[in-house]
Structures are given as structure tokens and as C-alpha cells.
Amino acid sequence: MGKTSDTKGKAFEFILCETLCKRLKLYGYTVNLTQDFTECQKTDSFKFASLLPQEIKYFTSQSELTSDWFIHLLSSLHTKNVTLNRLPDSKGTKGNPTDIEIITSLKQINISAKHNNFSIKHQRLPSLFQQLGMSKKVPEDKIYRNNLKRI
């Protein structure tokens, strides 16, 4: 049975943050972690651990490449103090698609991490009826969700 898009997305966010944090420290950065960062990492560590071995290997290699790219961007700022933050998905429902923030005194880099998805922000199709203001328990919503699963 395959993992959901949410599980894989959160697993990638987890390993990207773990790798970025370790590599920043390796390059001499002082890394501050927000409470949201710590809580998200704790929750999503289980999602990463649930991946198949080949997925873990792939996600890890991609997080290394991505982390090195972000560190290259930061090197031009000539500051060694960085704060890492992760935003819960509830922020996305209010218009902010950022998953991870890299914050320095000079610049903030917002990251919207995706796994096999090129969109910046997209509608969640199963929750269409809730986005229209209807209850999740109405019969039309159940029929819609069942039909959507067949696609």
C-alpha cells in the first residue's frame, strides 16, 4: 500500500530540515529552532520512518542537494546566525504556502516543499464541499469523495 501525498510531503520536509540543520552547523552557523520547528519535526519523524528504504535513500539524497543550495545562498549574506521555522499546514489554508522558513537578520527565505507536485498553492479536491461552506457529513460530500476516489 502506497503512502499518501501528505505523508511523503511531510517526510520530505522532515529530512530536508534535519539535513539543513546538520549542514548549517557543519559550516559554522549558529542555528536557532522555533517551537513550531521542533514540534513539526517530532511529528513528522514517524512519517519519514514509515517510508520504504529506497524512498528514504532518495529523499535523503535530494535533501542534501537542496540544503547545499540554500547554504550557498546564505553564504553571500555574511551572517552565521540562522533561525529555522516550520509552519503548520493551517497557515496554508489562510493563504501562506510556506512550509519552511530560513531566517537571518538580513533575509528570510520561504520554502514551499513539494513531492512530485509543481504547484505553489493548490486546492485540496477532497475538501471542496468544506471550502464551499458545507459540512463534511452531508450526503453530497460523501458521494463526491467516493466518486473522487475512483478517478
Side-chain angles (χ1 to χ4, degrees):
M1 181 174 162
K3 303 286 181 233
T4 66
S5 174
D6 176 66
T7 298
K8 288 187 178 182
K10 292 296 183 186
F12 181 65
E13 287 177 38
F14 166 81
I15 193 59
L16 176 57
C17 286
E18 286 292 302
T19 305
L20 182 59
C21 187
K22 287 177 186 172
R23 289 189 181 240
L24 283 167
K25 290 177 180 177
L26 182 69
Y27 285 100
Y29 286 83
T30 300
V31 181
N32 306 295
L33 307 175
T34 66
Q35 183 176 346
D36 282 341
F37 181 94
T38 303
E39 289 172 8
C40 287
Q41 288 299 96
K42 183 177 179 182
T43 302
D44 294 340
S45 65
F46 299 104
K47 294 176 181 177
F48 182 73
S50 75
L51 296 176
L52 298 171
Q54 63 268 27
E55 291 172 321
I56 289 173
K57 182 178 178 183
Y58 176 72
F59 280 26
T60 301
S61 70
Q62 296 308 299
S63 71
E64 291 167 351
L65 291 171
T66 305
S67 293
D68 287 346
W69 186 74
F70 284 121
I71 291 169
H72 175 74
L73 288 177
L74 290 172
S75 67
S76 66
L77 299 177
H78 306 291
T79 181
K80 291 288 190 174
N81 194 16
V82 175
T83 298
L84 297 178
N85 186 29
R86 285 192 59 192
L87 281 71
D89 283 343
S90 60
K91 299 284 185 183
T93 62
K94 295 175 183 162
N96 185 353
T98 302
D99 297 313
I100 304 163
E101 294 174 332
I102 304 172
I103 306 163
T104 73
S105 61
L106 302 172
K107 186 172 192 152
Q108 178 172 319
I109 300 170
N110 293 342
I111 303 165
S112 178
K114 301 291 179 227
H115 173 260
N116 285 341
N117 184 332
F118 296 109
S119 65
I120 294 173
K121 184 170 173 59
H122 58 88
Q123 178 178 349
R124 305 302 195 253
L125 292 177
S127 63
L128 174 63
F129 278 75
Q130 288 68 58
Q131 294 168 15
L132 296 173
M134 297 179 181
S135 169
K136 193 172 185 177
K137 301 190 186 322
V138 298
E140 294 85 358
D141 180 61
K142 290 180 182 178
I143 292 167
Y144 170 76
R145 286 175 184 266
N146 286 334
N147 288 337
L148 192 59
K149 287 179 185 177
R150 288 188 222 149
I151 297 175

